[in-house]
Amino acid sequence: MPAAADLPHPAADRIELVDVLAALGHPVRLEIVRKLASGAEACCGEVVPDLPRSSVTHHLRTLRESGVIRRRPQGRKLYLALRREDLELRFPGLLELVLACRSRPLDSECDEQPL
């Protein structure tokens, strides 16, 4: 098993849409992404809700492996950042659309916008 510093992040050109959508499809992971949307790195404890450690590990691994976030260990802390530039290059507009749409009723304005 690789050390935390050695955990792979997919190269920008290897990020797949199906993986990103699957990662963003869970409410906890979507909330983590929203908290990282400012662009600044944040400590793991600042963005992850009160969940069991195994759940946190699972959600962060899913986001990392899909290419949505980047993890950077520094000492005993783990810093997270949204890979906004990589996602925008790969799937223009997707992240902004996902971040703009909160959970809304089906007749909300987000659902009425043409694709």
Side-chain angles (χ1 to χ4, degrees):
M1 176 177 249
D6 299 334
L7 291 174
H9 296 87
D13 64 344
R14 302 287 237 166
I15 298 173
E16 297 293 333
L17 181 60
V18 68
D19 297 330
V20 172
L21 293 176
L24 296 175
H26 191 282
V28 170
R29 293 191 291 265
L30 186 55
E31 190 56 33
I32 292 169
V33 169
R34 284 189 173 120
K35 289 179 180 178
L36 293 172
S38 70
E41 279 188 328
C43 254
C44 178
E46 297 171 359
V47 296
V48 178
D50 294 329
L51 292 172
R53 186 175 180 131
S54 62
S55 293
V56 171
T57 300
H58 167 73
H59 290 305
L60 293 180
R61 183 183 69 233
T62 301
L63 288 167
R64 178 184 50 79
E65 289 177 350
S66 68
V68 174
I69 66 168
R70 183 169 304 281
R71 292 173 26 142
R72 183 180 62 83
Q74 183 174 348
R76 295 176 50 117
K77 292 189 177 189
L78 178 63
Y79 290 92
L80 307 172
L82 185 60
R83 293 180 65 180
R84 184 182 291 272
E85 295 82 19
D86 292 339
L87 293 170
E88 184 61 25
L89 284 172
R90 193 83 169 110
F91 313 109
L94 175 67
L95 190 57
E96 290 306 316
L97 179 63
V98 168
L99 292 172
C101 293
R102 299 246 179 213
S103 296
R104 300 180 185 174
L106 289 178
D107 61 348
S108 71
E109 66 185 58
C110 183
D111 296 318
E112 293 174 9
Q113 295 177 353
L115 295 178

